[in-house]
């Protein structure tokens, strides 16, 4: 298994990169017609919009000027995606018992990764997470949260790790701030240096 992260470029999802997003997500919208709208809709809305409806909803968000995430490129081809935005954009978080707010601080949330199959297990999720932190920093955000999975036994199939793995968030310097489920920690990265514990990042 190749775990070496190759050089990549990272770009925000905007109208200029929309076609790259659709190329990466393919006809199925990454998985089952999702188009990364799962966290933004109620379950009935999501089911009703599956497929083309969700694609159109995401395109409308992009065309409104909002940046819903970051694309990764290798040799000009889109190979990965990370959804990151202010927490309030993800309505489903507010309805989740285990992912309720930790406090009243405004936070940005990293909720989803999608990596092209031939680029998985090569360190791209970690690189995307760092690119997401850079994006939030440029957007003058202060706190970034993630809601990864931490399997009890062994490794999960790729289909179940779209929120990211806790180990990846730790490698990026995130620390656990809450855990209301054995396998779903709430993790944070404070962009204000004096608030962030010292963490040695892998080279």
């Amino acid at each position: 298994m190749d775990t070496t992260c190759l050089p990549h470029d990272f770009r925000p999802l905007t109208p200029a990169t929309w076609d790259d997003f659709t190329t990466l997500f393919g006809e199925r919208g990454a998985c089952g017609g999702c188009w990364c709208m799962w966290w933004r809709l109620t379950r009935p809305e999501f089911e009703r919009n599956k497929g083309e409806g969700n694609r159109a909803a995401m395109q409308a968000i992009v065309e409104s000027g909002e940046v819903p995430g970051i694309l990764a490129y290798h040799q000009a081809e889109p190979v990965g995606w990370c959804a990151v935005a202010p927490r309030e954009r993800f309505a489903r978080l507010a309805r989740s018992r285990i992912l309720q707010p930790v406090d009243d601080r405004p936070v940005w949330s990293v909720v989803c990764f999608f990596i092209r199959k031939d680029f998985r297990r090569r360190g791209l999720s970690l690189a995307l997470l760092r690119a997401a932190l850079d994006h939030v920093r440029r957007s003058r955000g202060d706190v970034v949260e993630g809601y990864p999975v931490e399997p009890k036994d062994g490794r999960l199939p790729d289909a179940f790790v779209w929120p990211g793995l806790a180990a990846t968030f730790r490698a990026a310097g995130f620390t656990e701030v809450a855990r209301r489920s054995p396998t779903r920690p709430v993790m944070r990265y404070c962009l204000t240096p004096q608030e962030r514990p010292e963490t040695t990042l892998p080279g």
Side-chain angles (χ1 to χ4, degrees):
M1 179 177 63
D2 183 358
T3 58
T4 302
C5 184
L6 300 172
H8 297 290
D9 295 321
F10 301 95
R11 304 174 200 170
L13 176 55
T14 66
T17 55
W18 174 255
D19 287 347
D20 296 330
F21 179 73
T22 60
T23 295
L24 175 65
F25 273 47
E27 292 183 3
R28 290 178 54 80
C31 182
C34 179
W35 289 100
C36 212
M37 290 298 297
W38 168 259
W39 288 105
R40 291 174 174 267
L41 302 173
T42 65
R43 182 180 291 272
E45 288 172 335
F46 178 82
E47 293 295 334
R48 185 168 61 248
N49 290 337
K50 251 186 185 180
E52 178 58 27
N54 282 338
R55 188 204 65 78
M58 177 57 77
Q59 187 171 17
I61 290 169
V62 173
E63 290 180 349
S64 77
E66 180 181 341
V67 175
I70 303 296
L71 288 162
Y73 293 79
H74 179 65
Q75 296 180 349
E77 291 187 12
V79 295
W81 160 255
C82 175
V84 56
R87 181 186 165 105
E88 58 267 24
R89 300 290 193 271
F90 304 114
R92 196 180 288 260
L93 286 174
R95 296 189 295 273
S96 170
R97 178 182 58 82
I98 64 173
L99 302 179
Q100 288 294 308
V102 173
D103 51 35
D104 59 0
R105 295 186 68 177
V107 302
W108 287 59
S109 296
V110 173
V111 296
C112 185
F113 295 86
F114 180 69
I115 309 296
R116 204 172 79 180
K117 190 172 182 178
D118 54 333
F119 276 81
R120 294 172 188 170
R121 301 190 181 94
R122 299 172 74 174
L124 183 51
S125 292
L126 177 57
L128 266 166
L129 188 51
R130 289 172 172 163
L133 291 174
D134 288 341
H135 169 68
V136 177
R137 186 179 289 109
R138 289 192 298 270
S139 302
R140 301 191 182 278
D142 184 44
V143 180
V144 186
E145 276 188 353
Y147 318 98
V149 294
E150 187 156 50
K152 290 182 179 179
D153 303 303
R155 192 172 66 193
L156 287 173
D158 291 344
F160 295 99
V161 297
W162 50 269
L165 290 169
T168 303
F169 280 78
R170 290 192 188 97
F174 283 70
T175 56
E176 185 174 329
V177 293
R179 188 183 292 243
R180 305 180 184 106
S181 163
T183 60
R184 293 300 298 274
V186 177
M187 305 187 75
R188 276 188 176 180
Y189 188 105
C190 294
L191 292 165
T192 305
Q194 59 266 30
E195 293 188 27
R196 188 169 66 248
E198 291 189 9
T199 303
T200 302
L201 299 180

